[in-house]
Amino acid sequence: MWEPADSLQVTMEQRKTLEAWIRAKTTPQRVVLRSRICLLAAEGKSNNAIAHELGTSRPTVLLWRKRFEDAGPSGLSEDAPHGPSAQRLSALKVKAIVEATLHTTPEDATHWSTRTMAVKQGISHASVARIWDAHGLKPHRIKTFKLSKDKRFVEKLTDVVGVYLNPPDKALVLCVDEKTQVQALDRTQPGLPMKKGRCGTMTHDYKRNGTTCLFGALNVLDGTVIGTCYPRHRNEEFLMFLRKIDRETPQGLDLHLILDNYGTHNHPNVKKWLKKHPRFHLHFTPTSSSWLNLIERWFGEITRKRIRRGVFKSVPELVAAIEEFIRVNNKNPKPFVWTKKLDEILEKISHCKAVIETLH
């Protein structure tokens, strides 16, 4: 049987300190609990009674009574010192986990998870997570990239970047491209509106109501857009769009168009039309380098702001929404400014190629 514990000896000054800690709203709750334990012990209550009243354990009561006897109130404000963990991993084990993460894969997966690595190494998944965090490893994440294999890459890159950074005099620079197969999607059920504490909702399934192709020409100088929609994406539609550009731009200015290598842009009918309109000058981006065309950035804006979360019951409804977005955009246009110089781009691409060649 346990012997009854003696009352804890608490001075008046110490009692005032403990009571102040309990009253203060900023005192950590663990310190409040320890203070209550000591005050109840000073009243002569048994350790079991204190544990039952405060909802804690008898060993906890004994621990903080002992800490108070040894160090007074200051002993309650600090956690008990802990020695090194008995489960601390050795440096060799940590190295083995890092090496396995970097250079191996599981038998049934393309990358490790904390739990599969933990089973493989015989440790806890929390330990794996701490090791990965300490070494900056994130096997669950990946970034995509694609290097152009265009034989004239440097030549085309120099041409396009030169037009951006040093545009020709008495000329307009237009970034031209097509956003094809824009779908008019209607949701199978109406979504719930946003309200306080809850975001809006939208069903994951949808009904397709047809598609359209958006042709756009971004004015690099002021950010205005010439745009229209056609049902198909052929050289006939591209010629119609070139005529629209010709009509809606000042006749006294040359037009420098930046576009990609899509077959429609190099069709014989297009080349024939361009010979009759010498104020059009085409600058082609390298293959697989759509990031060079600023109109792609604008396509991202219209997708994010108007199309992705839109509900369209027909193609004409989708086209009307696109035209309205263009009209509002041109009221208060904001141009995208190209800042990267040619040397910076080539240096980054050279570094990427060097890494890939080293790995292979």
Side-chain angles (χ1 to χ4, degrees):
M1 294 293 293
W2 291 318
E3 296 181 1
D6 297 331
S7 298
L8 185 64
Q9 299 301 314
V10 179
T11 66
M12 187 61 66
E13 190 67 28
Q14 291 173 337
R15 181 180 293 275
K16 290 181 179 179
T17 301
L18 298 180
E19 291 175 346
W21 284 352
I22 293 173
R23 289 194 304 269
K25 295 182 179 180
T26 57
T27 306
Q29 288 302 303
R30 61 181 183 275
V31 177
V32 172
L33 174 63
R34 298 164 191 173
S35 302
R36 292 185 185 279
I37 289 173
C38 294
L39 289 177
L40 291 175
E43 296 175 4
K45 290 191 176 183
S46 67
N47 295 326
N48 278 336
I50 296 173
H52 180 73
E53 182 176 340
L54 298 179
T56 186
S57 64
R58 185 174 181 276
T60 300
V61 174
L62 292 172
L63 170 66
W64 294 109
R65 283 187 60 148
K66 183 67 169 60
R67 289 291 303 278
F68 185 86
E69 291 174 351
D70 294 341
S74 61
L76 306 183
S77 61
E78 299 177 0
D79 292 335
H82 299 284
S85 172
Q87 298 181 353
R88 179 173 293 176
L89 301 178
S90 66
L92 291 177
K93 189 66 172 179
V94 173
K95 182 179 179 182
I97 293 171
V98 173
E99 291 294 321
T101 305
L102 293 174
H103 304 299
T104 66
T105 57
E107 295 180 356
D108 60 343
T110 58
H111 60 279
W112 292 102
S113 69
T114 56
R115 284 169 172 76
T116 55
M117 179 61 74
V119 172
K120 183 71 173 180
Q121 298 293 334
I123 61 175
S124 70
H125 68 89
S127 297
V128 175
R130 285 193 294 269
I131 293 171
W132 283 356
D133 182 63
H135 290 80
L137 299 176
K138 300 178 181 179
H140 63 288
R141 299 189 64 185
I142 192 169
K143 290 184 177 181
T144 58
F145 76 97
K146 185 175 183 180
L147 291 178
S148 174
K149 296 182 179 180
D150 196 320
K151 295 181 179 179
R152 299 174 55 203
F153 176 80
V154 176
E155 177 186 341
K156 293 180 179 178
L157 176 68
T158 304
D159 180 34
V160 173
V161 174
V163 172
Y164 282 146
L165 298 181
N166 188 24
D169 294 334
K170 298 181 180 179
L172 288 180
V173 178
L174 301 175
C175 295
V176 178
D177 202 1
E178 301 85 20
K179 184 175 178 63
T180 61
Q181 299 298 307
V182 184
Q183 299 187 82
L185 300 181
D186 185 16
R187 304 294 160 174
T188 57
Q189 300 176 44
L192 297 176
M194 178 181 62
K195 71 175 187 178
K196 184 178 180 180
R198 187 192 71 191
C199 64
T201 65
M202 176 178 288
T203 60
H204 69 277
D205 53 345
Y206 48 82
K207 178 184 177 183
R208 294 186 177 93
N209 292 318
T211 63
T212 188
C213 296
L214 170 61
F215 287 67
L218 173 70
N219 188 329
V220 175
L221 179 63
D222 60 15
T224 57
V225 173
I226 299 172
T228 189
C229 293
Y230 298 113
R232 300 183 65 181
H233 181 211
R234 303 169 300 175
N235 71 88
E236 291 92 335
E237 285 77 20
F238 184 60
L239 282 172
M240 292 169 62
F241 186 59
L242 289 178
R243 295 187 186 102
K244 180 179 178 66
I245 293 175
D246 192 28
R247 292 192 304 269
E248 298 186 12
T249 53
Q251 293 299 314
L253 298 178
D254 282 351
L255 301 178
H256 290 259
L257 274 55
I258 296 174
L259 28 72
D260 59 25
N261 295 272
Y262 190 68
T264 298
H265 303 157
N266 292 300
H267 194 276
N269 293 339
V270 174
K271 292 181 178 179
K272 182 178 179 181
W273 186 88
L274 290 172
K275 287 182 179 179
K276 298 178 180 179
H277 298 78
R279 77 184 188 119
F280 281 78
H281 307 274
L282 305 188
H283 304 266
F284 292 98
T285 61
T287 306
S288 304
S289 300
S290 59
W291 48 270
L292 265 175
N293 200 332
L294 287 178
I295 188 66
E296 297 291 350
R297 180 67 185 84
W298 186 83
F299 283 158
E301 287 290 292
I302 191 173
T303 301
R304 179 175 63 87
K305 294 181 178 179
R306 191 63 188 90
I307 297 176
R308 181 175 294 138
R309 291 169 59 175
V311 176
F312 309 105
K313 300 184 181 300
S314 64
V315 172
E317 188 175 332
L318 170 62
V319 172
I322 292 173
E323 291 175 348
E324 176 67 10
F325 184 88
I326 294 173
R327 185 184 64 80
V328 174
N329 174 88
N330 291 342
K331 279 185 176 181
N332 184 28
K334 295 181 180 179
F336 301 107
V337 181
W338 187 272
T339 58
K340 280 289 184 181
K341 296 181 180 179
L342 178 65
D343 294 342
E344 297 178 72
I345 299 173
L346 291 176
E347 181 182 357
K348 185 172 290 189
I349 293 175
S350 298
H351 173 72
C352 189
K353 287 183 177 179
V355 172
I356 292 176
E357 291 174 358
T358 301
L359 291 175
H360 289 78

